[in-house]
Amino acid sequence: AIVGIRLGSKGPIFFRQERSGHYGKPFRMWKFRTMRPDKLAEEGVIRQVTSDDDRITGLGRFLRRTSLDELPQLVNVIKGEMSLVGPRPHASGRTTEETEVHHLVSDYAHRHRVKPGLTGWAQINGYRGNTDLTERIKCDLFYIENWNFLLDFQIMLLTFFKRDNAY
């Protein structure tokens, strides 16, 4: 993957972005870079990735579809910033149509009671990428309220066996 990313387009191998972690504490999350460098992003203009986004490289599309772009987050797990299973971390200051996320769902802050995870209940239920944020947060809260070792084990197994058409 590393060689393919380097040969596929100019730019760094890894992508790092500030995310909100446990109790809202910010941290830098690692991913393999799957997109071409974006001048607007460098200027602070964040655009949500779409399925037909021309910024995604060929290898990047494969890495995203298989979730292999997430593997560098094991560094975040080792550093104690993330766990293997939990709510996926959102970008710090994330907005949806100019509305901050915590205003959309009154229980949004509760998802920060646990460390964010590499995978989670929302992801295995189809809420990843550009999806309904309200439903994603409901899944996160379901996970937090019903957490147990068997649920984590189930989520990890389903993560490997369930594939969707994410981009």
Side-chain angles (χ1 to χ4, degrees), residues 47-53 55 64 94-97 123 126-134 136 164-167:
R47 293 186 296 155
Q48 180 73 32
V49 181
T50 60
S51 59
D52 61 344
D53 202 313
R55 297 173 295 167
R64 284 171 168 267
R94 178 180 176 169
T95 62
T96 301
E97 296 182 18
Q123 284 61 43
Y127 296 105
R128 59 181 277 207
N130 193 12
T131 62
D132 185 327
L133 193 57
T134 302
R136 186 186 310 185
D164 59 19
N165 58 0
Y167 35 89

Side-chain angles (χ1 to χ4, degrees), residues 94-117:
R94 178 180 176 169
T95 62
T96 301
E97 296 182 18
E98 306 306 319
T99 303
E100 287 198 30
V101 172
H102 65 274
H103 293 300
L104 290 175
V105 178
S106 61
D107 290 333
Y108 180 76
H110 292 296
R111 65 188 307 280
H112 291 120
R113 292 184 300 180
V114 298
K115 287 183 184 179

Side-chain angles (χ1 to χ4, degrees), residues 33-90:
R33 184 177 55 83
T34 60
M35 299 171 61
R36 291 172 185 82
D38 180 9
K39 288 288 184 191
L40 288 174
E42 292 171 12
E43 296 170 7
V45 177
I46 306 299
R47 293 186 296 155
Q48 180 73 32
V49 181
T50 60
S51 59
D52 61 344
D53 202 313
D54 62 351
R55 297 173 295 167
I56 302 174
T57 65
L59 177 60
R61 197 165 301 281
F62 169 78
L63 292 173
R64 284 171 168 267
R65 191 172 45 252
T66 59
S67 298
L68 291 172
D69 62 322
E70 311 284 354
L71 282 178
Q73 290 167 36
L74 288 171
V75 170
N76 296 111
V77 172
I78 291 167
K79 290 173 64 177
E81 297 165 330
M82 292 177 67
S83 61
L84 292 176
V85 181
R88 290 289 298 151
H90 292 165

Side-chain angles (χ1 to χ4, degrees), residues 9-22:
S9 67
K10 293 180 181 179
I13 294 169
F14 298 103
F15 170 76
R16 294 184 314 148
Q17 184 179 50
E18 186 173 287
R19 300 290 175 110
S20 296
H22 196 210

